[in-house]
Amino acid sequence: MLYILQATCVSPQPTYGLPDFSSPRHPVANRFHALEPDYQGIPTGILRRMGKAIRLAVGAALPMLKAFPTMPEGIIIGTGNGGMEDSIRFLDQIIAYDEGMLTPSDFVQSTTNAIAAQLGLLTGNKGYNSTHVQRGLAFEHALLDAGLLLRENKSAVYLVGGVDEISASNFNIDLLAGWFKQEIIDAADLYTSGTPGTIAGEGAAMFLVSLNPEGAMAHVTAMELLHTEDPGVVACTLQSFLEKNGNPGEPPDVFISGENGDIRNQPCLEAVEAMLPADAAIARYKHLVGDYATVSAVALWLGTLILQQQAIPGALVKKRGNLSTISRILLYNNYKNFQHSFLLLENVVAGSPA
Amino acid sequence: METEQLKDTLKRQVIEFLNLINVKPEDIRNDEPLFGSGLGLDSIDSIELIVLLNREYGITIQDPKEGRKILVDINTMADYIEKHRTK
Amino acid sequence: MGIISAAGKDLSGNLLSLQQGRSAIGPLQNFPSRYADRLPFGEIKISNETLRRQAGITEPGVTRTTLLAIPAMKEAISNARLSEADLRSPRTAFINATTVGGMCLTDELAKDAHRKENGSEYLSSYDCASVTLFLMKYFGLTGISDTLNTACSSSANAILQGARLIRHGLADRAIVGGVDSLAKFTINGFNALHILSAEKSRPFDAGRNGLNLGEAAAFLVMENVTAAAGKKCFAALSGYCNANDAYHPSSLSDTGDGPVLAMEGALKSAGLAPGDIQYINAHGTGTENNDLAESRAMERVFGTVPLFSSTKPYTGHTLGAAGAVEAVFSMLSIGQQEAYATLNFTTPMPDSTLVPLTRNTRVPMQHVMSNSFGFGGNCSALVFSAC
C-alpha cells in the first residue's frame, strides 16, 4: 500500500523527539493532555491564532517537513472534530452578543480543514490538500487517500496525519453521551475497571509516505475498515483480511490493540484476540495516551517505533509473547464500539512492491 | 481619560484582543504602522479591531475598508476614539 | 443524481428554476435569526417536521443537515435504478461532505458543550461524520464510507474521491455528494468576515459586495462502465483536480494561483485542451475576492475564456453542498445543451474584461468545467463530458 519514510508524534507522553516511556505521565481527571513541543519554527503572528489541534499538527509536522529534501505533493489530514474549542468559542460569542458584532478568527480557525490549510500555508504547498472527518476512521481514510494518490503519482511523497484535541466542550459532550468514565480513574486501573467509558486523549501523529522503500521506516501492506457492533462480523472480517493479506506461515508477531477499558468494547476485542497466534505479543497504548477519534495514528507511529527498535516499550506490554525478530505487526482499533480498522505493518524488504 | 493613558490602555487591549504573543505594550510605538510592516497585522485583524472599538468604546464602523483608514497606528486609533467614543 | 435546494425540491424543480431564471433568494421564513429579514438567503421552505415525516423518521437526534440529504439521495438512487442489493453491496462506496454537520443546533450545542443539563438528544449528532453514519444506516450502505470537510470545495472533493475509488477498483459504484443546512454558526461566521451581501448576490459584477448563504443537498451515483450498462447516463466525469492556493486562511491570492492549478490539473486529467471546454460553471460567489481571483485564473488558463456563469444566485452559496449542486447543474446543462444565466449581473468588473452569461443560451456542449474554491485555499475543478 505505501511506505512510511518518516513519522513524528505529539502525544501526552514524551513521544516527540526521543521517545521515552520509562516513567509515563498519568491522566488528570480522566484527561490526557498532550505534551506540546516548542513552536519555534512557527511565526508568532500565525501561532497566536492557532487552536490546539492546529498547533499540535503543525508542531509535529513542520520540523519534519522543513528537514525533508523535497516538498510533498500534498497534505492529507484526518480529524474527528477539528478545532472544536474555536467552534465553541465562536458559538459562545453568537449567544453572548446575540448575533451582533463578532470576531471572525475563531470561525476561520475552527473549520476542520484549517489544519491541512495551515500546513499548506506555512510551507507554501500548493499540492493536493484534503481533510477526512469520518470520526474513528478519519485517519485511516486519510491514509487510504494517500495510497490511491500514490498509485497515480508513483514518485510522489505525501504528508498524512491524524490529529484531535481535547476541548472542554467535546469532553463534556462525550462525557454526557457516556463515552468517558463516570468515575475518576488512573491509567493502571483502566483495563480492569469493568465499567463503560474510557479516558480522553489528544495528539497528532504525522507521516511522510511514498512508494519508495529506500530508507523507509516501515511498510503499510494492507488495511481494512469496518462499521459494525457485531463481534462475529469483526472476527470474520479479520479472518478474511489475514487470509487475503497474510502469509499463513508468517502470522503477526505483535498485535497493537486499541483496547480502551470500555467494557462495551470487550466482546469485539476478545473476538479479535482469540484469533491471534498463541505466542503473539500484545501491546496496548490507550492507558498512556487516552482515546479519541484519530488515536490510531499514534498506534501507527508506535508500530514504526517497535519495528525500528525491535522491542515493545515495557509500559505498553499486555502480553510478552515469544518474540525473536519483529517483522509483522497487526494493528486493530475500535472506536465507540462501531468503527473498526485493521492494519498490517511490516519491515521494509528492499525491492518489495508497495 | 488622558490621551497617553488611552494609548497605553489601547495597546494592552490590542495585544489581548489579537492574542499577540510575546508582545508587550512598551514594544509598540505610537506611530508604528499596525498593518503591513510594523506590527504586521492582516485583514482579519482589521475586522477584529473594529469589533474591539465597538465593544470597548461603543464605536461602530460598518466597512472594514473605512476601518483601515482609521487603524493606521495607535495615534490615529486613539484620536478617532476620543472623537467618536460613546462609552 | 438527486438534489434539493431553495431552487427546487428535486431535479425537475431545480431545472425549471434555471430555465425560468427564477431566484429563490429572499428573507428567512422558518429560521430564527437576527438576520432573518436583514439579509437574503437560499432557504429550503420545508420544515424539519415535514422532512422527518417524509423520510419516515421517528427517532430523536436527527439534525436538519441529515434530513435534507435524504430526499436528494433517494432521487439519485432511484434515477440510478439501484436495488437494495446494490445499496448493501460492499462494492458501493459512499463519500459524503458537509461543513455544518450538527452545528446547526446552536442552543443545544452550547448547552451540551458547557454541560448545562443532562445532555440533549443530539449528543452524537454534532460532528460532520454523524450525517454520514446516519445515512449509511438509513440506506443500508456497507461499502467504503467517508466524510470530507474542506469548506466550500467539500462535495467537489467527495466526487473526486468517489471517482478515484472506482478508478482503482476499490468500488464499482460510489454515491457521492454533500449537504449543508443554514446555521447561525455559518451565517454569523461569514457575516463577521463582512462577506455576506445585504442584497441578492451579483457574481462577477463591478458592484458585487458579498454572497448569500443557502442550504441544499445533492448526490450523484457514479458507476464504472459495467455497473452503468443499460442505465441513463447524465454525463461522464472525465477530469478532476484539487490544489491549494496557500495564500491566506480565508481569501484567494489576487493571481488565483490555486484556481489555476486546479483548472489546469482537471484539464490534464481529462486529456483535454482549454479550447475543448464549452462552458464553465464558476464558483462565482459574488465576493470581491473570489470573483476577481477566479476571473484572473480563468484568463490565465484559457486565454480566450469560454462561456461561463455562476448559478449561485439561484440557490445561494450552499457551502458543503455547493460542489455537488453545481455538478448537478453542469450535467443538466449538458443534458439540455443549455448554459444558464448569471442572475443580477449588470456591469463588468473594472479590473477584468470578462462578462459572464446573462441570458440562458443554447450551446452545443461536449465538455463542461465546474469550479469550487473553499476557505484555506482549497481549490477543486471537475470536468463533465457528454456521455
Side-chain angles (χ1 to χ4, degrees):
Chain A
M1 200 177 132
L2 47 81
Y3 288 97
I4 296 174
L5 304 180
Q6 289 186 27
T8 63
C9 178
V10 169
S11 78
Q13 302 298 336
T15 51
Y16 187 75
L18 213 57
D20 180 6
F21 292 98
S22 56
S23 22
R25 297 167 76 228
H26 293 259
V28 173
N30 291 351
R31 275 168 259 219
F32 250 132
H33 286 284
L35 272 176
E36 298 191 51
D38 81 55
Y39 294 112
Q40 273 185 13
I42 308 173
T44 51
I46 296 173
L47 185 61
R48 64 184 166 105
R49 285 211 182 113
M50 288 186 183
K52 193 183 243 192
I54 301 181
R55 281 203 314 271
L56 295 178
V58 172
L62 203 62
M64 183 171 72
L65 288 170
K66 285 191 170 165
F68 199 72
T70 57
M71 184 172 310
E73 271 72 5
I75 294 169
I76 310 157
I77 295 295
T79 181
N81 282 308
M84 187 65 155
E85 198 64 23
D86 285 320
S87 299
I88 300 300
R89 244 204 315 269
F90 190 69
L91 205 67
D92 287 343
Q93 277 198 67
I94 293 174
I95 295 169
Y97 294 99
D98 192 28
E99 297 188 88
M101 252 195 170
L102 309 177
T103 57
S105 61
D106 289 332
F107 173 71
V108 175
Q109 294 299 89
S110 74
T111 55
T112 52
N113 73 312
I115 299 162
Q118 196 66 247
L119 284 166
L121 207 55
L122 283 167
T123 54
N125 190 309
K126 298 193 169 155
Y128 182 85
N129 193 294
S130 195
T131 304
H132 296 258
V133 295
Q134 184 69 353
R135 209 181 274 176
L137 295 178
F139 172 66
E140 286 79 352
H141 275 288
L143 210 56
L144 176 63
D145 196 354
L148 293 178
L149 284 163
L150 286 169
R151 290 196 205 186
E152 296 170 18
N153 277 313
K154 293 194 183 339
S155 57
V157 174
Y158 289 95
L159 176 74
V160 185
V163 57
D164 271 296
E165 65 182 25
I166 297 174
S167 64
S169 36
N170 67 348
F171 181 83
N172 284 339
I173 289 168
D174 272 349
L175 180 67
L176 286 170
W179 295 112
F180 296 130
K181 297 280 183 207
Q182 295 296 315
E183 71 280 15
I184 301 293
I185 195 164
D186 190 46
D189 306 315
L190 181 63
Y191 302 122
T192 51
S193 60
T195 54
T198 181
I199 53 181
E202 62 183 10
M206 312 293 281
F207 305 86
L208 285 168
V209 301
S210 83
L211 293 183
N212 184 3
E214 206 178 307
M217 299 170 74
H219 185 188
V220 176
T221 52
M223 186 167 71
E224 184 80 38
L225 311 180
L226 183 60
H227 289 88
T228 187
E229 284 174 332
D230 186 337
V233 174
V234 175
C236 258
T237 305
L238 177 57
Q239 176 146 12
S240 41
F241 177 69
L242 289 173
E243 276 165 13
K244 210 166 48 176
N245 299 295
N247 188 340
E250 291 175 23
D253 309 302
V254 174
F255 174 60
I256 297 182
S257 164
E259 183 174 3
N260 71 348
D262 187 326
I263 192 77
R264 298 169 294 187
N265 293 12
Q266 281 306 108
C268 287
L269 183 70
E270 279 161 18
V272 168
E273 287 195 3
M275 299 178 64
L276 299 173
D279 56 357
I282 301 180
R284 53 191 176 183
Y285 57 96
K286 292 188 185 178
H287 61 293
L288 298 173
V289 301
D291 201 2
Y292 53 95
T294 50
V295 76
S296 52
V298 172
L300 184 61
W301 176 85
L302 281 169
T304 61
L305 184 75
I306 290 170
L307 281 176
Q308 295 273 292
Q309 294 186 343
Q310 286 291 297
I312 304 172
L316 279 81
V317 172
K318 176 179 179 180
K319 180 168 165 234
R320 291 224 164 269
N322 197 8
L323 285 176
S324 46
T325 49
I326 302 175
S327 49
R328 302 188 96 215
I329 300 180
L330 172 67
L331 293 92
Y332 165 61
N333 195 34
N334 172 334
Y335 189 66
K336 292 186 174 175
N337 206 32
F338 185 62
Q339 293 180 301
H340 310 261
S341 62
F342 295 107
L343 215 128
L344 270 177
L345 189 68
E346 300 185 26
N347 261 333
V348 178
V349 174
S352 62
Chain B
M1 185 189 273
E2 288 286 357
T3 307
E4 285 315 305
Q5 212 181 335
L6 171 63
K7 288 180 188 176
D8 217 51
T9 305
L10 194 52
K11 286 176 194 175
R12 272 173 229 287
Q13 288 171 330
V14 167
I15 287 169
E16 196 186 308
F17 215 71
L18 303 183
N19 195 28
L20 299 180
I21 303 173
N22 298 337
V23 176
K24 297 189 212 46
E26 50 269 27
D27 297 333
I28 306 175
R29 283 193 343 261
N30 290 344
D31 61 352
E32 182 175 2
L34 294 169
F35 296 87
S37 58
L39 217 48
L41 305 182
D42 69 6
S43 55
I44 293 184
D45 294 310
S46 69
I47 296 174
E48 309 231 317
L49 288 178
I50 289 173
V51 178
L52 167 67
L53 289 177
N54 182 260
R55 288 190 190 165
E56 296 295 332
Y57 301 102
I59 295 170
T60 303
I61 300 170
Q62 294 289 9
D63 184 357
K65 287 205 203 89
E66 279 308 302
R68 285 294 286 265
K69 293 183 193 152
I70 299 154
L71 302 167
V72 177
D73 54 33
I74 295 290
N75 282 335
T76 56
M77 268 186 91
D79 208 49
Y80 194 84
I81 290 170
E82 281 182 325
K83 290 198 178 83
H84 295 94
R85 63 189 301 175
T86 60
K87 280 195 202 172
Chain C
M1 51 188 187
I3 184 171
I4 182 169
S5 77
K9 62 176 175 50
D10 52 23
L11 275 173
S12 57
N14 276 270
L15 180 57
L16 205 58
S17 290
L18 292 169
Q19 288 170 331
Q20 294 180 349
R22 193 177 53 213
S23 161
I25 307 294
L28 291 172
Q29 286 171 0
N30 302 325
F31 190 97
S33 163
R34 175 194 277 234
Y35 301 104
D37 49 15
R38 283 197 216 171
L39 298 173
F41 296 90
E43 182 185 31
I44 297 174
K45 310 288 188 214
I46 305 177
S47 71
N48 292 346
E49 289 66 43
T50 304
L51 289 168
R52 284 174 66 91
R53 199 183 58 245
Q54 287 172 349
I57 291 171
T58 50
E59 69 200 81
V62 185
T63 63
R64 182 173 176 80
T65 309
T66 305
L67 292 171
L68 284 176
I70 293 170
M73 276 185 74
K74 279 186 175 170
E75 186 177 25
I77 287 166
S78 162
N79 281 341
R81 288 169 21 215
L82 297 188
S83 64
E84 290 294 325
D86 291 331
L87 292 176
R88 265 197 321 269
S89 163
R91 301 289 299 170
T92 299
F94 176 42
I95 313 294
N96 183 33
T98 178
T99 67
V100 170
M103 303 286 281
C104 46
L105 295 156
T106 317
D107 297 328
E108 288 83 349
L109 177 54
K111 279 197 202 123
D112 287 336
H114 296 299
R115 215 171 142 198
K116 287 271 159 51
E117 287 158 17
N118 286 336
S120 75
E121 65 194 80
Y122 297 100
L123 290 171
S124 302
S125 310
Y126 293 121
D127 64 356
C128 297
S130 64
V131 179
T132 309
L133 292 169
F134 183 91
L135 294 170
M136 284 164 64
K137 196 175 71 178
Y138 186 88
F139 288 101
L141 304 168
T142 69
I144 294 173
S145 299
D146 189 15
T147 318
L148 298 181
N149 181 350
T150 58
C152 316
S153 57
S154 296
S155 47
N157 288 334
I159 292 170
L160 196 157
Q161 188 75 0
R164 209 167 249 150
L165 287 170
I166 295 172
R167 183 174 162 191
H168 293 291
L170 275 78
D172 298 328
R173 73 176 61 78
I175 304 173
V176 297
V179 56
D180 259 333
S181 61
L182 285 168
K184 275 189 191 172
F185 189 73
T186 41
I187 292 171
N188 283 278
F190 280 79
N191 194 46
L193 285 165
H194 292 263
I195 49 179
L196 291 184
S197 175
E199 311 152 350
K200 293 189 184 182
S201 73
R202 291 182 275 162
F204 301 105
D205 190 279
R208 70 199 185 283
N209 61 9
L211 58 94
N212 310 134
L213 284 173
E215 54 184 3
F219 290 91
L220 324 178
V221 174
M222 306 172 66
E223 297 186 287
N224 64 21
V225 170
T226 316
K231 296 187 190 179
K232 173 185 165 69
C233 164
F234 287 99
L237 178 68
S238 51
Y240 48 81
C241 183
N242 170 272
N244 202 270
D245 195 54
Y247 172 74
H248 186 272
S250 57
S251 53
L252 290 172
S253 57
D254 287 342
T255 41
D257 292 350
V260 166
L261 288 169
M263 287 191 273
E264 282 179 345
L267 285 172
K268 187 168 167 206
S269 92
L272 294 172
D276 295 324
I277 303 289
Q278 285 83 43
Y279 166 65
I280 303 174
N281 184 306
H283 186 55
T285 54
T287 63
E288 282 190 46
N289 173 254
N290 178 82
D291 294 359
L292 186 60
E294 188 170 12
S295 296
R296 295 232 169 98
M298 287 192 290
E299 282 172 322
R300 282 171 65 189
V301 173
F302 290 93
T304 308
V305 176
L307 298 178
F308 73 96
S309 64
S310 167
T311 50
K312 285 186 168 70
Y314 297 92
T315 55
H317 184 357
T318 56
L319 301 182
V325 164
E326 287 151 34
V328 168
F329 287 177
S330 297
M331 289 191 280
L332 287 175
S333 276
I334 290 178
Q336 302 293 315
Q337 294 285 283
E338 184 171 42
Y340 299 104
T342 309
L343 303 179
N344 314 323
F345 175 89
T346 52
T347 317
M349 299 178 289
D351 333 51
S352 168
T353 55
L354 294 186
V355 176
L357 269 180
T358 51
R359 281 206 330 250
N360 291 357
T361 307
R362 293 203 65 75
V363 55
M365 259 182 265
Q366 180 67 19
H367 307 290
V368 169
M369 179 176 279
S370 178
N371 291 340
S372 296
F373 311 137
F375 274 3
N378 202 291
C379 299
S380 293
L382 305 171
V383 177
F384 293 97
S385 303
C387 299

